[in-house]
Amino acid sequence: MKIFIAASWLKLGGGVTRTLFELFRHIDYSKHDVTLMVMELDKDVLSYVPKEVKVIWSGDSFQSQSAGAILKNTLKKGKIFTAASYAFNVADFRLTGDNYRHQAWITKHMTKQDEEYDIAISYAMMNSIVNKYVIDNVKAKKKILWCHIDVNIYKPQYIKGLEKLYNQYDRINCVSQSSLNSLKEKYPGLSDKLHIAYNFIDSERIIKEAETEPDIDISNDRIKLCTVGRISDQKGIDILVDVADRLNKNGFDFEWWVVGTRYDDELNRRIESDIKNAGLDTKVLLLGEKNPPYPFMKNCDIYVQPSRYEGFCTTTNEAKILLKPIITTCVAGADEQFTNNVDGMITDISADAVYEAVSELISNPEKRTQITENLKNSFKISQENSFESMIL
């Protein structure tokens, strides 16, 4: 079959990117001819894409530039009517919040794919222009939307009108039962299209890649905490700093590794300032992107995921494979991965709740050991899918 997969952007440290790469590993290329289109191309990731996958770039500025830049560039090209139409579209979006109408204008001015495919997949977030692009600009017998998140996390203006778009897909794959339930509750008319498609995860590869030594000195006797995630509001790195400040003030001797790209420059500056002002420079280490991150996961004492929202968190599944005591906030999918206080700890999404869990595990090595033993005895990663079951 000829398969077209569209993604917005791919970053090495991104959870969605890693799940897509894992999906690629489960495709039989003797049966499928696969084309990957990315809206924004980070050339560093190309070496991780299988050689059998044809990679193309959309090359369109309408989805990657600011409104001001688009207007300026369009006028420079002498396209006065297009610029006026775009200005009207932006004004309409700001007044009405109708994202469907806004995206429809943009995709109309983006490059259409000439080839016809058996299956076209949108592998992006639920408010992404990629989803509209696949419907409007790709010819395919069947179109599939991937839902990576609990749709309730979106502010209404970001998904207003998009239920019309979701309904145009033949199938919607949800990465957790929680994400499926939230989509079904919000849009009951989609019920017949919804399917569970747990992310693939390669336990053997993760364990092997974790054998490499971290590229920092880990020889001190401090309790080692680890969080993997880009510095963004979603991943709750500001919550992490608040927790670390309380741990420090209460006399805990620890080192917290934060592995992830500096995704949000403004937030990153604020996080760095907060760390410095709290005197945590030697205790909270912003290590940036590490590929793979598994050596840091393996060598920590406690893995902490303070996210504000997820669909089905990739990093907690990876830490689970490495048999780490894990603390996660009660994001979508958490209760599908863990039984609270048995093989992990699930907390409310707040610095107070995360602090209580972290301080408890630091102070109670026996509980850490018990959680690890429980993971060994009841270890299960949900992987009941094959690639074919996800697309047919």
PDB file of all heavy atoms in Angstrom, residues 223-255:
ATOM      1  N   ILE A 223      20.860  11.800  46.303  1.00  0.00           N
ATOM      2  CA  ILE A 223      19.721  11.161  45.645  1.00  0.00           C
ATOM      3  C   ILE A 223      19.582  11.788  44.265  1.00  0.00           C
ATOM      4  O   ILE A 223      19.585  13.020  44.116  1.00  0.00           O
ATOM      5  CB  ILE A 223      18.436  11.375  46.457  1.00  0.00           C
ATOM      6  CG1 ILE A 223      18.417  10.457  47.671  1.00  0.00           C
ATOM      7  CG2 ILE A 223      17.196  11.122  45.598  1.00  0.00           C
ATOM      8  CD1 ILE A 223      18.111   8.997  47.349  1.00  0.00           C
ATOM      9  N   LYS A 224      19.474  10.959  43.254  1.00  0.00           N
ATOM     10  CA  LYS A 224      19.385  11.453  41.885  1.00  0.00           C
ATOM     11  C   LYS A 224      17.927  11.381  41.408  1.00  0.00           C
ATOM     12  O   LYS A 224      17.303  10.320  41.386  1.00  0.00           O
ATOM     13  CB  LYS A 224      20.254  10.617  40.949  1.00  0.00           C
ATOM     14  CG  LYS A 224      21.702  10.421  41.403  1.00  0.00           C
ATOM     15  CD  LYS A 224      22.456  11.716  41.464  1.00  0.00           C
ATOM     16  CE  LYS A 224      23.962  11.494  41.579  1.00  0.00           C
ATOM     17  NZ  LYS A 224      24.370  10.624  42.711  1.00  0.00           N
ATOM     18  N   LEU A 225      17.395  12.539  41.044  1.00  0.00           N
ATOM     19  CA  LEU A 225      16.068  12.630  40.439  1.00  0.00           C
ATOM     20  C   LEU A 225      16.236  12.924  38.954  1.00  0.00           C
ATOM     21  O   LEU A 225      17.197  13.593  38.554  1.00  0.00           O
ATOM     22  CB  LEU A 225      15.244  13.737  41.087  1.00  0.00           C
ATOM     23  CG  LEU A 225      15.139  13.732  42.617  1.00  0.00           C
ATOM     24  CD1 LEU A 225      14.453  14.999  43.098  1.00  0.00           C
ATOM     25  CD2 LEU A 225      14.389  12.504  43.085  1.00  0.00           C
ATOM     26  N   CYS A 226      15.329  12.437  38.143  1.00  0.00           N
ATOM     27  CA  CYS A 226      15.428  12.684  36.698  1.00  0.00           C
ATOM     28  C   CYS A 226      14.059  13.004  36.129  1.00  0.00           C
ATOM     29  O   CYS A 226      13.053  12.371  36.500  1.00  0.00           O
ATOM     30  CB  CYS A 226      16.016  11.454  35.993  1.00  0.00           C
ATOM     31  SG  CYS A 226      16.184  11.647  34.192  1.00  0.00           S
ATOM     32  N   THR A 227      14.022  14.006  35.248  1.00  0.00           N
ATOM     33  CA  THR A 227      12.822  14.339  34.470  1.00  0.00           C
ATOM     34  C   THR A 227      13.255  14.524  33.021  1.00  0.00           C
ATOM     35  O   THR A 227      14.215  15.244  32.751  1.00  0.00           O
ATOM     36  CB  THR A 227      12.164  15.635  34.977  1.00  0.00           C
ATOM     37  OG1 THR A 227      11.714  15.433  36.319  1.00  0.00           O
ATOM     38  CG2 THR A 227      10.978  16.032  34.094  1.00  0.00           C
ATOM     39  N   VAL A 228      12.560  13.871  32.092  1.00  0.00           N
ATOM     40  CA  VAL A 228      12.851  14.028  30.668  1.00  0.00           C
ATOM     41  C   VAL A 228      11.664  14.729  30.019  1.00  0.00           C
ATOM     42  O   VAL A 228      10.528  14.240  30.089  1.00  0.00           O
ATOM     43  CB  VAL A 228      13.107  12.666  29.989  1.00  0.00           C
ATOM     44  CG1 VAL A 228      13.322  12.856  28.486  1.00  0.00           C
ATOM     45  CG2 VAL A 228      14.318  11.980  30.615  1.00  0.00           C
ATOM     46  N   GLY A 229      11.924  15.874  29.415  1.00  0.00           N
ATOM     47  CA  GLY A 229      10.853  16.634  28.758  1.00  0.00           C
ATOM     48  C   GLY A 229      11.342  18.022  28.401  1.00  0.00           C
ATOM     49  O   GLY A 229      12.167  18.603  29.110  1.00  0.00           O
ATOM     50  N   ARG A 230      10.850  18.548  27.311  1.00  0.00           N
ATOM     51  CA  ARG A 230      11.267  19.879  26.890  1.00  0.00           C
ATOM     52  C   ARG A 230      10.817  20.914  27.930  1.00  0.00           C
ATOM     53  O   ARG A 230       9.852  20.697  28.666  1.00  0.00           O
ATOM     54  CB  ARG A 230      10.676  20.221  25.528  1.00  0.00           C
ATOM     55  CG  ARG A 230       9.168  20.285  25.499  1.00  0.00           C
ATOM     56  CD  ARG A 230       8.650  20.427  24.067  1.00  0.00           C
ATOM     57  NE  ARG A 230       7.194  20.465  24.042  1.00  0.00           N
ATOM     58  CZ  ARG A 230       6.414  19.401  24.076  1.00  0.00           C
ATOM     59  NH1 ARG A 230       6.959  18.206  24.144  1.00  0.00           N
ATOM     60  NH2 ARG A 230       5.096  19.521  24.048  1.00  0.00           N
ATOM     61  N   ILE A 231      11.544  22.019  27.978  1.00  0.00           N
ATOM     62  CA  ILE A 231      11.184  23.075  28.926  1.00  0.00           C
ATOM     63  C   ILE A 231       9.990  23.835  28.352  1.00  0.00           C
ATOM     64  O   ILE A 231      10.122  24.714  27.503  1.00  0.00           O
ATOM     65  CB  ILE A 231      12.387  23.997  29.196  1.00  0.00           C
ATOM     66  CG1 ILE A 231      13.505  23.183  29.851  1.00  0.00           C
ATOM     67  CG2 ILE A 231      11.973  25.149  30.108  1.00  0.00           C
ATOM     68  CD1 ILE A 231      14.745  23.975  30.171  1.00  0.00           C
ATOM     69  N   SER A 232       8.823  23.433  28.816  1.00  0.00           N
ATOM     70  CA  SER A 232       7.573  24.011  28.325  1.00  0.00           C
ATOM     71  C   SER A 232       6.555  23.960  29.447  1.00  0.00           C
ATOM     72  O   SER A 232       6.720  23.244  30.438  1.00  0.00           O
ATOM     73  CB  SER A 232       7.049  23.212  27.118  1.00  0.00           C
ATOM     74  OG  SER A 232       6.706  21.897  27.515  1.00  0.00           O
ATOM     75  N   ASP A 233       5.485  24.717  29.271  1.00  0.00           N
ATOM     76  CA  ASP A 233       4.421  24.734  30.268  1.00  0.00           C
ATOM     77  C   ASP A 233       3.811  23.346  30.425  1.00  0.00           C
ATOM     78  O   ASP A 233       3.486  22.921  31.534  1.00  0.00           O
ATOM     79  CB  ASP A 233       3.341  25.740  29.847  1.00  0.00           C
ATOM     80  CG  ASP A 233       2.171  25.798  30.820  1.00  0.00           C
ATOM     81  OD1 ASP A 233       2.358  26.338  31.932  1.00  0.00           O
ATOM     82  OD2 ASP A 233       1.092  25.307  30.471  1.00  0.00           O
ATOM     83  N   GLN A 234       3.673  22.626  29.312  1.00  0.00           N
ATOM     84  CA  GLN A 234       3.072  21.295  29.358  1.00  0.00           C
ATOM     85  C   GLN A 234       3.813  20.362  30.311  1.00  0.00           C
ATOM     86  O   GLN A 234       3.199  19.637  31.093  1.00  0.00           O
ATOM     87  CB  GLN A 234       3.039  20.656  27.962  1.00  0.00           C
ATOM     88  CG  GLN A 234       2.495  19.225  27.987  1.00  0.00           C
ATOM     89  CD  GLN A 234       2.759  18.448  26.712  1.00  0.00           C
ATOM     90  OE1 GLN A 234       3.172  19.012  25.700  1.00  0.00           O
ATOM     91  NE2 GLN A 234       2.531  17.143  26.743  1.00  0.00           N
ATOM     92  N   LYS A 235       5.136  20.385  30.256  1.00  0.00           N
ATOM     93  CA  LYS A 235       5.933  19.412  31.001  1.00  0.00           C
ATOM     94  C   LYS A 235       6.121  19.791  32.472  1.00  0.00           C
ATOM     95  O   LYS A 235       6.703  19.035  33.242  1.00  0.00           O
ATOM     96  CB  LYS A 235       7.293  19.221  30.330  1.00  0.00           C
ATOM     97  CG  LYS A 235       7.201  18.667  28.911  1.00  0.00           C
ATOM     98  CD  LYS A 235       6.503  17.313  28.868  1.00  0.00           C
ATOM     99  CE  LYS A 235       6.419  16.768  27.449  1.00  0.00           C
ATOM    100  NZ  LYS A 235       5.727  15.459  27.390  1.00  0.00           N
ATOM    101  N   GLY A 236       5.652  20.982  32.874  1.00  0.00           N
ATOM    102  CA  GLY A 236       5.645  21.345  34.284  1.00  0.00           C
ATOM    103  C   GLY A 236       7.018  21.536  34.898  1.00  0.00           C
ATOM    104  O   GLY A 236       7.211  21.272  36.089  1.00  0.00           O
ATOM    105  N   ILE A 237       7.975  22.042  34.116  1.00  0.00           N
ATOM    106  CA  ILE A 237       9.323  22.230  34.656  1.00  0.00           C
ATOM    107  C   ILE A 237       9.335  23.304  35.742  1.00  0.00           C
ATOM    108  O   ILE A 237      10.135  23.259  36.676  1.00  0.00           O
ATOM    109  CB  ILE A 237      10.323  22.578  33.527  1.00  0.00           C
ATOM    110  CG1 ILE A 237      10.268  21.518  32.406  1.00  0.00           C
ATOM    111  CG2 ILE A 237      11.734  22.679  34.067  1.00  0.00           C
ATOM    112  CD1 ILE A 237      10.538  20.105  32.867  1.00  0.00           C
ATOM    113  N   ASP A 238       8.418  24.274  35.659  1.00  0.00           N
ATOM    114  CA  ASP A 238       8.310  25.270  36.730  1.00  0.00           C
ATOM    115  C   ASP A 238       7.818  24.626  38.027  1.00  0.00           C
ATOM    116  O   ASP A 238       8.250  25.006  39.129  1.00  0.00           O
ATOM    117  CB  ASP A 238       7.389  26.416  36.307  1.00  0.00           C
ATOM    118  CG  ASP A 238       6.009  25.930  35.870  1.00  0.00           C
ATOM    119  OD1 ASP A 238       5.921  24.862  35.241  1.00  0.00           O
ATOM    120  OD2 ASP A 238       5.010  26.613  36.156  1.00  0.00           O
ATOM    121  N   ILE A 239       6.934  23.645  37.920  1.00  0.00           N
ATOM    122  CA  ILE A 239       6.509  22.878  39.095  1.00  0.00           C
ATOM    123  C   ILE A 239       7.709  22.168  39.707  1.00  0.00           C
ATOM    124  O   ILE A 239       7.891  22.166  40.933  1.00  0.00           O
ATOM    125  CB  ILE A 239       5.413  21.858  38.704  1.00  0.00           C
ATOM    126  CG1 ILE A 239       4.135  22.575  38.265  1.00  0.00           C
ATOM    127  CG2 ILE A 239       5.122  20.894  39.857  1.00  0.00           C
ATOM    128  CD1 ILE A 239       3.051  21.641  37.727  1.00  0.00           C
ATOM    129  N   LEU A 240       8.530  21.594  38.845  1.00  0.00           N
ATOM    130  CA  LEU A 240       9.745  20.893  39.281  1.00  0.00           C
ATOM    131  C   LEU A 240      10.638  21.810  40.112  1.00  0.00           C
ATOM    132  O   LEU A 240      11.145  21.411  41.169  1.00  0.00           O
ATOM    133  CB  LEU A 240      10.480  20.372  38.041  1.00  0.00           C
ATOM    134  CG  LEU A 240      11.787  19.604  38.150  1.00  0.00           C
ATOM    135  CD1 LEU A 240      11.980  18.766  36.882  1.00  0.00           C
ATOM    136  CD2 LEU A 240      12.993  20.518  38.318  1.00  0.00           C
ATOM    137  N   VAL A 241      10.837  23.045  39.645  1.00  0.00           N
ATOM    138  CA  VAL A 241      11.717  23.979  40.360  1.00  0.00           C
ATOM    139  C   VAL A 241      11.129  24.325  41.727  1.00  0.00           C
ATOM    140  O   VAL A 241      11.858  24.413  42.727  1.00  0.00           O
ATOM    141  CB  VAL A 241      11.960  25.259  39.521  1.00  0.00           C
ATOM    142  CG1 VAL A 241      12.786  26.265  40.310  1.00  0.00           C
ATOM    143  CG2 VAL A 241      12.677  24.906  38.215  1.00  0.00           C
ATOM    144  N   ASP A 242       9.818  24.508  41.804  1.00  0.00           N
ATOM    145  CA  ASP A 242       9.172  24.768  43.096  1.00  0.00           C
ATOM    146  C   ASP A 242       9.384  23.603  44.060  1.00  0.00           C
ATOM    147  O   ASP A 242       9.659  23.796  45.249  1.00  0.00           O
ATOM    148  CB  ASP A 242       7.670  25.001  42.905  1.00  0.00           C
ATOM    149  CG  ASP A 242       7.360  26.348  42.263  1.00  0.00           C
ATOM    150  OD1 ASP A 242       8.262  27.208  42.252  1.00  0.00           O
ATOM    151  OD2 ASP A 242       6.226  26.531  41.782  1.00  0.00           O
ATOM    152  N   VAL A 243       9.261  22.375  43.545  1.00  0.00           N
ATOM    153  CA  VAL A 243       9.470  21.188  44.375  1.00  0.00           C
ATOM    154  C   VAL A 243      10.917  21.119  44.851  1.00  0.00           C
ATOM    155  O   VAL A 243      11.195  20.863  46.028  1.00  0.00           O
ATOM    156  CB  VAL A 243       9.098  19.910  43.591  1.00  0.00           C
ATOM    157  CG1 VAL A 243       9.463  18.653  44.393  1.00  0.00           C
ATOM    158  CG2 VAL A 243       7.612  19.906  43.247  1.00  0.00           C
ATOM    159  N   ALA A 244      11.846  21.378  43.936  1.00  0.00           N
ATOM    160  CA  ALA A 244      13.262  21.342  44.289  1.00  0.00           C
ATOM    161  C   ALA A 244      13.609  22.384  45.353  1.00  0.00           C
ATOM    162  O   ALA A 244      14.403  22.120  46.265  1.00  0.00           O
ATOM    163  CB  ALA A 244      14.114  21.567  43.038  1.00  0.00           C
ATOM    164  N   ASP A 245      12.999  23.557  45.250  1.00  0.00           N
ATOM    165  CA  ASP A 245      13.234  24.612  46.238  1.00  0.00           C
ATOM    166  C   ASP A 245      12.801  24.152  47.631  1.00  0.00           C
ATOM    167  O   ASP A 245      13.514  24.344  48.622  1.00  0.00           O
ATOM    168  CB  ASP A 245      12.464  25.873  45.817  1.00  0.00           C
ATOM    169  CG  ASP A 245      12.800  27.079  46.678  1.00  0.00           C
ATOM    170  OD1 ASP A 245      13.920  27.140  47.226  1.00  0.00           O
ATOM    171  OD2 ASP A 245      11.933  27.964  46.814  1.00  0.00           O
ATOM    172  N   ARG A 246      11.644  23.517  47.714  1.00  0.00           N
ATOM    173  CA  ARG A 246      11.154  23.022  49.002  1.00  0.00           C
ATOM    174  C   ARG A 246      12.034  21.889  49.532  1.00  0.00           C
ATOM    175  O   ARG A 246      12.326  21.822  50.723  1.00  0.00           O
ATOM    176  CB  ARG A 246       9.708  22.540  48.865  1.00  0.00           C
ATOM    177  CG  ARG A 246       8.716  23.675  48.724  1.00  0.00           C
ATOM    178  CD  ARG A 246       7.285  23.167  48.735  1.00  0.00           C
ATOM    179  NE  ARG A 246       6.925  22.507  49.996  1.00  0.00           N
ATOM    180  CZ  ARG A 246       5.742  21.980  50.248  1.00  0.00           C
ATOM    181  NH1 ARG A 246       4.793  22.025  49.318  1.00  0.00           N
ATOM    182  NH2 ARG A 246       5.486  21.400  51.405  1.00  0.00           N
ATOM    183  N   LEU A 247      12.464  21.007  48.641  1.00  0.00           N
ATOM    184  CA  LEU A 247      13.359  19.924  49.060  1.00  0.00           C
ATOM    185  C   LEU A 247      14.651  20.489  49.639  1.00  0.00           C
ATOM    186  O   LEU A 247      15.146  20.043  50.683  1.00  0.00           O
ATOM    187  CB  LEU A 247      13.687  19.013  47.872  1.00  0.00           C
ATOM    188  CG  LEU A 247      12.558  18.139  47.315  1.00  0.00           C
ATOM    189  CD1 LEU A 247      13.013  17.469  46.021  1.00  0.00           C
ATOM    190  CD2 LEU A 247      12.127  17.080  48.325  1.00  0.00           C
ATOM    191  N   ASN A 248      15.183  21.496  48.963  1.00  0.00           N
ATOM    192  CA  ASN A 248      16.431  22.104  49.402  1.00  0.00           C
ATOM    193  C   ASN A 248      16.271  22.787  50.760  1.00  0.00           C
ATOM    194  O   ASN A 248      17.103  22.629  51.663  1.00  0.00           O
ATOM    195  CB  ASN A 248      16.893  23.117  48.343  1.00  0.00           C
ATOM    196  CG  ASN A 248      18.290  23.628  48.598  1.00  0.00           C
ATOM    197  OD1 ASN A 248      19.207  22.864  48.892  1.00  0.00           O
ATOM    198  ND2 ASN A 248      18.465  24.930  48.485  1.00  0.00           N
ATOM    199  N   LYS A 249      15.186  23.531  50.914  1.00  0.00           N
ATOM    200  CA  LYS A 249      14.942  24.246  52.172  1.00  0.00           C
ATOM    201  C   LYS A 249      14.713  23.282  53.340  1.00  0.00           C
ATOM    202  O   LYS A 249      14.975  23.614  54.502  1.00  0.00           O
ATOM    203  CB  LYS A 249      13.749  25.182  52.019  1.00  0.00           C
ATOM    204  CG  LYS A 249      14.055  26.413  51.160  1.00  0.00           C
ATOM    205  CD  LYS A 249      12.818  27.259  50.938  1.00  0.00           C
ATOM    206  CE  LYS A 249      13.151  28.508  50.109  1.00  0.00           C
ATOM    207  NZ  LYS A 249      11.932  29.297  49.765  1.00  0.00           N
ATOM    208  N   ASN A 250      14.229  22.088  53.038  1.00  0.00           N
ATOM    209  CA  ASN A 250      13.963  21.099  54.085  1.00  0.00           C
ATOM    210  C   ASN A 250      15.115  20.117  54.285  1.00  0.00           C
ATOM    211  O   ASN A 250      14.959  19.093  54.963  1.00  0.00           O
ATOM    212  CB  ASN A 250      12.671  20.345  53.784  1.00  0.00           C
ATOM    213  CG  ASN A 250      11.445  21.216  53.985  1.00  0.00           C
ATOM    214  OD1 ASN A 250      11.383  22.029  54.917  1.00  0.00           O
ATOM    215  ND2 ASN A 250      10.457  21.074  53.124  1.00  0.00           N
ATOM    216  N   GLY A 251      16.265  20.457  53.694  1.00  0.00           N
ATOM    217  CA  GLY A 251      17.488  19.730  54.011  1.00  0.00           C
ATOM    218  C   GLY A 251      17.742  18.452  53.241  1.00  0.00           C
ATOM    219  O   GLY A 251      18.646  17.680  53.585  1.00  0.00           O
ATOM    220  N   PHE A 252      16.989  18.198  52.170  1.00  0.00           N
ATOM    221  CA  PHE A 252      17.238  16.991  51.378  1.00  0.00           C
ATOM    222  C   PHE A 252      18.475  17.191  50.497  1.00  0.00           C
ATOM    223  O   PHE A 252      18.664  18.256  49.904  1.00  0.00           O
ATOM    224  CB  PHE A 252      16.033  16.669  50.492  1.00  0.00           C
ATOM    225  CG  PHE A 252      14.845  16.146  51.254  1.00  0.00           C
ATOM    226  CD1 PHE A 252      13.800  16.999  51.610  1.00  0.00           C
ATOM    227  CD2 PHE A 252      14.766  14.812  51.610  1.00  0.00           C
ATOM    228  CE1 PHE A 252      12.695  16.531  52.310  1.00  0.00           C
ATOM    229  CE2 PHE A 252      13.661  14.324  52.307  1.00  0.00           C
ATOM    230  CZ  PHE A 252      12.630  15.182  52.661  1.00  0.00           C
ATOM    231  N   ASP A 253      19.308  16.166  50.424  1.00  0.00           N
ATOM    232  CA  ASP A 253      20.515  16.215  49.599  1.00  0.00           C
ATOM    233  C   ASP A 253      20.232  15.494  48.287  1.00  0.00           C
ATOM    234  O   ASP A 253      20.138  14.264  48.239  1.00  0.00           O
ATOM    235  CB  ASP A 253      21.679  15.540  50.337  1.00  0.00           C
ATOM    236  CG  ASP A 253      23.006  15.797  49.639  1.00  0.00           C
ATOM    237  OD1 ASP A 253      23.095  16.764  48.862  1.00  0.00           O
ATOM    238  OD2 ASP A 253      23.945  15.008  49.860  1.00  0.00           O
ATOM    239  N   PHE A 254      20.075  16.241  47.228  1.00  0.00           N
ATOM    240  CA  PHE A 254      19.631  15.660  45.955  1.00  0.00           C
ATOM    241  C   PHE A 254      20.277  16.370  44.775  1.00  0.00           C
ATOM    242  O   PHE A 254      20.857  17.455  44.904  1.00  0.00           O
ATOM    243  CB  PHE A 254      18.103  15.766  45.829  1.00  0.00           C
ATOM    244  CG  PHE A 254      17.616  17.189  45.664  1.00  0.00           C
ATOM    245  CD1 PHE A 254      17.396  17.736  44.412  1.00  0.00           C
ATOM    246  CD2 PHE A 254      17.418  18.005  46.788  1.00  0.00           C
ATOM    247  CE1 PHE A 254      16.970  19.048  44.266  1.00  0.00           C
ATOM    248  CE2 PHE A 254      16.991  19.314  46.651  1.00  0.00           C
ATOM    249  CZ  PHE A 254      16.773  19.834  45.392  1.00  0.00           C
ATOM    250  N   GLU A 255      20.140  15.740  43.622  1.00  0.00           N
ATOM    251  CA  GLU A 255      20.537  16.334  42.346  1.00  0.00           C
ATOM    252  C   GLU A 255      19.443  15.971  41.354  1.00  0.00           C
ATOM    253  O   GLU A 255      19.069  14.803  41.241  1.00  0.00           O
ATOM    254  CB  GLU A 255      21.881  15.755  41.906  1.00  0.00           C
ATOM    255  CG  GLU A 255      22.524  16.441  40.723  1.00  0.00           C
ATOM    256  CD  GLU A 255      23.951  15.954  40.525  1.00  0.00           C
ATOM    257  OE1 GLU A 255      24.839  16.412  41.274  1.00  0.00           O
ATOM    258  OE2 GLU A 255      24.170  15.088  39.657  1.00  0.00           O
TER     259      GLU A 255
END
